Amino acid sequence: MPRKQLSGCQKRKKRKRDEELRKSQAGAMLKFLQKQPQGANVVEEHVHGKVDEHNVHANVDANVEENVVGANVKEDDVVANVEKDVVGANVKEDDVDVAVNEIDIFDPRNWGGLKSNMINVLVEEGPKRDLTIDKGPKNKSGRRFSATLYTRTLANKETCDRSWLVYSKELDKVFCFCCKLFRKGVSKGQLDNEGYGDWKHVTSRLKEHETGFEHLKNMTTWYEMRQRLKANKTGVQAANEQFKK
């Protein structure tokens, strides 16, 4: 019959084997436990990598959006500036309209203190006549203005319109449109200043005035300025059409 209990030698051998096995297992567990943090670090680095990549993409997207927004802002600024210019032009035109409404620029009594923008309008439009007035009121000697003074008879019997001549019903006087607007220095007659109302000598006075050097020079200034304003206006209209296209 075999013995049920181990001998002392066998017990010592068994304890030795158990001790070696325990040590070997302890080493294996240690190695296993050392690998876990490394795996965790790898996972953590992977997570941080994803986060950094996400941040990079976010920054890139933000920069792209900022650039796009900046481009839009610049484009809006351009449109705003253009609209501002257009609005500014409209405001100037409105100012002229308001000024025309407040001051009758076609009344010869107001031609002495007009602003440049009002003069431009007046030059383009020319003087306005009240064609309903055929004759003015009679003075003490029974003489009066007549609409026939608007027409000049040349030496060859041809007739032409005195476009520069304007009659003021309120003052009962006639004026030279271009000389009153463009006269420089001291006035040389009543036609370019307070008006002429001597109906007895008005015919000879008009003939003398319209052949004078100062009158011809002022007529040239009027015509040239009117052509220049019309040319500039046409150029502005063409530019506006091109801008709209």
Side-chain angles (χ1 to χ4, degrees):
M1 294 294 294
R3 297 179 61 181
K4 294 181 179 181
Q5 294 183 353
L6 297 177
S7 62
C9 182
Q10 291 176 343
K11 290 181 179 180
R12 285 192 296 274
K13 289 181 180 181
K14 183 180 179 182
R15 283 198 299 272
K16 186 177 180 180
R17 287 196 300 271
D18 293 340
E19 184 66 25
E20 292 176 355
L21 180 61
R22 186 172 62 254
K23 289 181 179 180
S24 62
Q25 290 177 354
M29 292 297 293
L30 182 60
K31 292 179 181 180
F32 178 76
L33 293 175
Q34 288 177 353
K35 290 181 180 179
Q36 289 299 326
Q38 293 178 356
N41 292 332
V42 171
V43 173
E44 184 177 0
E45 291 176 359
H46 180 70
V47 172
H48 284 295
K50 290 291 184 180
V51 172
D52 293 338
E53 183 179 0
H54 176 71
N55 292 332
V56 169
H57 286 296
N59 292 332
V60 172
D61 294 337
N63 292 331
V64 171
E65 290 178 357
E66 183 178 359
N67 293 333
V68 172
V69 171
N72 293 333
V73 169
K74 292 179 180 178
E75 183 177 358
D76 294 339
D77 290 340
V78 173
V79 175
N81 290 333
V82 172
E83 292 179 351
K84 184 179 179 180
D85 293 338
V86 174
V87 171
N90 293 333
V91 169
K92 292 179 181 179
E93 293 179 0
D94 294 339
D95 290 342
V96 175
D97 294 337
V98 171
V100 170
N101 292 330
E102 291 180 353
I103 301 175
D104 185 6
I105 63 174
F106 299 101
D107 188 346
R109 295 176 296 176
N110 298 323
W111 289 352
L114 295 178
K115 297 180 180 179
S116 59
N117 54 358
M118 299 179 187
I119 294 177
N120 291 342
V121 174
L122 191 56
V123 167
E124 284 189 276
E125 298 293 333
K128 288 186 178 181
R129 298 168 176 170
D130 189 350
L131 299 180
T132 60
I133 301 175
D134 185 58
K135 294 182 181 296
K138 292 183 179 181
N139 57 14
K140 295 180 180 180
S141 60
R143 299 180 182 273
R144 58 183 176 179
F145 165 80
S146 174
T148 57
L149 295 174
Y150 290 141
T151 303
R152 175 187 179 187
T153 303
L154 304 178
N156 58 1
K157 302 304 179 181
E158 292 183 1
T159 59
C160 63
D161 180 42
R162 289 185 172 114
S163 59
W164 49 270
L165 188 63
V166 181
Y167 172 70
S168 173
K169 178 178 63 176
E170 291 78 11
L171 299 177
D172 191 30
K173 293 180 178 181
V174 289
F175 293 84
C176 177
F177 170 75
C178 57
C179 289
K180 189 166 179 63
L181 276 184
F182 303 111
R183 172 180 57 84
K184 295 181 179 179
V186 181
S187 173
K188 296 182 180 181
Q190 295 175 327
L191 284 169
D192 60 355
N193 192 8
E194 71 272 11
Y196 191 85
D198 184 0
W199 306 121
K200 182 179 180 180
H201 304 95
V202 65
T203 302
S204 58
R205 181 69 187 94
L206 293 179
K207 289 181 179 180
E208 179 185 357
H209 179 80
E210 63 192 357
T211 57
F213 174 77
E214 289 295 328
H215 173 77
L216 295 176
K217 183 177 68 173
N218 293 329
M219 283 284 291
T220 303
T221 302
W222 174 26
Y223 289 156
E224 290 180 351
M225 185 176 179
R226 182 173 60 185
Q227 291 179 353
R228 184 169 61 253
L229 290 173
K230 289 183 177 180
N232 292 338
K233 191 173 182 180
T234 303
V236 170
Q237 290 176 351
N240 290 335
E241 293 295 329
Q242 185 66 26
F243 173 75
K244 290 179 181 179
K245 292 181 180 180

